[in-house]
Structure formats: structure tokens, C-alpha cells
Amino acid sequence: MKNNLLRFSRLLRLAAVCVVPMLMAASTVHAADETKGGPLSLIITYHSTPANRVALREEMEKSRKGLFQHWKEQGILKDYRLLFNRYVDSGSWDAMALLTFSNPADAERWNKVEQANPAGLSKKALALTTAIDTAPADLVRNNAVANAPLHPTLMVIPYETMVSADEYLKYADGYVIPQFEGWIQEGVLSRYGIYVNRYAAGRPWSTMVILEYKNDAALGAREAVVAKVRARLKENPEWKAISDSKKNVRAEKLAVIADSLMTP
């Protein structure tokens, strides 16, 4: 009788481990339909010199309150977000704009904006940049907790993928998303988004993950939480099979810790 109870208890624990990730994944917003039309996101990265970083940040703040908000009120932008690299790092960007459009027609309207304000910047801000990269992209997966913090700590991770877009999405759904949802469950992650570069050939990245941690302490717990969630997921046969396959799906590139320049 005792042995039967122990076996039954183990089965219940295994069922919980297998079912929870699937339930969490069901709450994930799948935005894959974006790929059927023109890209509805633009990811613009701005590079500056260390000496001009302070001035560039000030100009980006002015643009947030002025130009970008004006374009949102006009209906050209569905939403926008401006990020700033927390550290001086010559191997990466200093500022980033995440722009989203409601439909392809609005994305086309942005072309006229670019004629007067390249990359959405004022003349003064443009003079403070040394390089700008623009990537039309698709937000393919995202999720957020209710009442996400206003001042999160962001980690932006670009990747080079070695498989097709469809294969990558299967990999993301089976292996990556369960981990992100586990980090949300552990209380450290408040939001995540996965972007796919629509025209990745020759570009610095083909997919980009943006993770929003609740605060610096939550980011500091990253390694411990990653290990904890992976240990739990290893009891899920499907997740473990992907983890053990050692298939070369993506290569991580230089990650950036960033802060959000607050939107209204």
C-alpha cells in the first residue's frame, strides 16, 4: 500500500510539471499573424560617442515628449518605446526605438516621417549620432504580467539563427517560452517579447529577445532562477528532448542592459 501511494505521488508531481508549462504557454500572446503582411514593427538602434551620450539621452527624452508622442496622436504609430543602454559599450548601441504600427498602411506613412526626420530624430539628435540601424521586424511572441512595474530593468539579447523562421518558432514555443513563463512564475520577469527580423540577410541580428525584469534585484537573481526553472522543466519529456538535442538553432550575441525612457 505504501509503495502504491509513493508511485501515485510521483505521478502527480510529474503531471504537474508537464501540465503547468503548457498552461502558461497558452497565456502567451502569439503574434505570428504579423508575418502574413508587411512588418508592423521597426527596431531602430542609435550609436553615439561616449562624449555625446548625455546630450543624446536628453534629445531622446525631448523626442519622446514631442515628436514620437505627436506621431502616436496622429495615428501613425500605434505605440512606441525608447530605451537607453545603461552602460558605455562601443560594441553595441546607445539608444533604441521600438515602434509599432496598427497596419501596413500606417507603416507606409512612416516613410514620409523619415523624409523630414530620419530615424525619427530631430536635426540636433541626428548630429549626436555616429550610426543608425533600422530593422523592420515582426513581434512573434510576447506576454506580460498585470501591473508591470513602471521602471523595469531590461535585457535586450540579439541572436543569429541557423534555422528557418518556422523552425525557430517551434523551438521558441517548445524550449524558450516555457522558460520565460517559468521566470514570470518565479516573480522576477514582468514582460518578454520575441522579434524576428523580416530582412535579416547581412544584418547584425535575425531574432531579438527583450526581457523586462521587475528591478535590478530580479535581474541579479537571473542565473539562480534560470537554473531552478530548467531543473523543473527537465521533468517534462518534451522540453528535455529539445534541451538534449544539442541542435544548433541560434547563437547569442552581445546583450545590453537598458532602461526605458518613460512613455506618457
Side-chain angles (χ1 to χ4, degrees):
M1 179 69 175
K2 185 177 180 180
N3 290 337
N4 288 338
L5 287 173
L6 286 172
R7 280 195 292 270
F8 182 67
S9 177
R10 291 193 190 99
L11 287 172
L12 283 177
R13 286 199 301 272
L14 180 59
V17 169
C18 293
V19 169
V20 168
M22 289 191 294
L23 289 176
M24 290 191 294
S27 68
T28 304
V29 177
H30 285 205
D33 285 347
E34 277 194 15
T35 61
K36 294 181 179 179
L40 298 181
S41 297
L42 278 183
I43 298 180
I44 309 174
T45 51
Y46 310 92
H47 307 257
S48 185
T49 63
N52 284 334
R53 270 175 57 89
V54 174
L56 178 63
R57 182 165 188 150
E58 290 174 352
E59 288 303 311
M60 295 296 289
E61 280 280 15
K62 291 178 183 177
S63 293
R64 173 185 67 81
K65 298 172 183 176
L67 292 173
F68 285 98
Q69 183 61 21
H70 171 67
W71 294 322
K72 182 177 180 180
E73 291 171 357
Q74 281 193 323
I76 297 173
L77 294 177
K78 178 181 179 181
D79 205 356
Y80 66 93
R81 190 131 185 228
L82 304 182
L83 311 182
F84 207 85
N85 191 336
R86 185 174 287 189
Y87 306 109
V88 177
D89 195 338
S90 60
S92 191
W93 46 269
D94 292 284
M96 172 184 285
L98 301 172
L99 310 182
T100 57
F101 305 95
S102 295
N103 52 62
D106 287 340
E108 288 182 18
R109 293 172 67 191
W110 180 258
N111 295 336
K112 293 184 178 180
V113 170
E114 288 268 358
Q115 293 174 18
N117 298 94
L121 296 186
S122 65
K123 290 181 179 179
K124 187 173 181 179
L126 282 170
L128 296 168
T129 62
T130 57
I132 298 174
D133 299 300
T134 302
D138 301 299
L139 176 61
V140 293
R141 300 290 185 268
N142 70 95
N143 198 10
V145 301
N147 301 316
L150 294 176
H151 301 281
T153 301
L154 292 98
M155 176 176 277
V156 181
I157 313 173
Y159 292 91
E160 179 184 359
T161 55
M162 286 74 169
V163 296
S164 69
D166 288 342
E167 285 183 279
Y168 175 76
L169 286 179
K170 290 178 182 178
Y171 168 82
D173 289 336
Y175 181 76
V176 179
I177 298 298
Q179 292 185 77
F180 290 172
E181 294 291 343
W183 303 347
I184 288 178
Q185 186 183 35
E186 291 296 322
V188 297
L189 199 67
S190 59
R191 188 194 307 266
Y192 65 82
I194 300 178
Y195 291 86
V196 173
N197 193 332
R198 180 65 74 94
Y199 313 113
R203 295 285 184 171
W205 59 273
S206 47
T207 60
M208 181 176 287
V209 171
I210 299 181
L211 304 173
E212 294 187 28
Y213 288 86
K214 291 187 174 181
N215 47 42
D216 283 8
L219 176 62
R222 171 181 167 84
E223 296 302 323
V225 171
V226 167
K228 181 179 179 181
V229 170
R230 285 182 178 176
R232 184 166 69 235
L233 286 170
K234 283 181 180 178
E235 296 188 51
N236 180 329
E238 293 181 2
W239 187 90
K240 188 175 185 301
I242 299 173
S243 178
D244 292 343
S245 70
K246 307 299 182 184
K247 185 176 181 179
N248 193 16
V249 174
R250 62 183 187 177
E252 184 173 335
K253 309 190 84 173
L254 185 63
V256 167
I257 306 302
D259 296 302
S260 178
L261 302 181
M262 294 301 297
T263 52

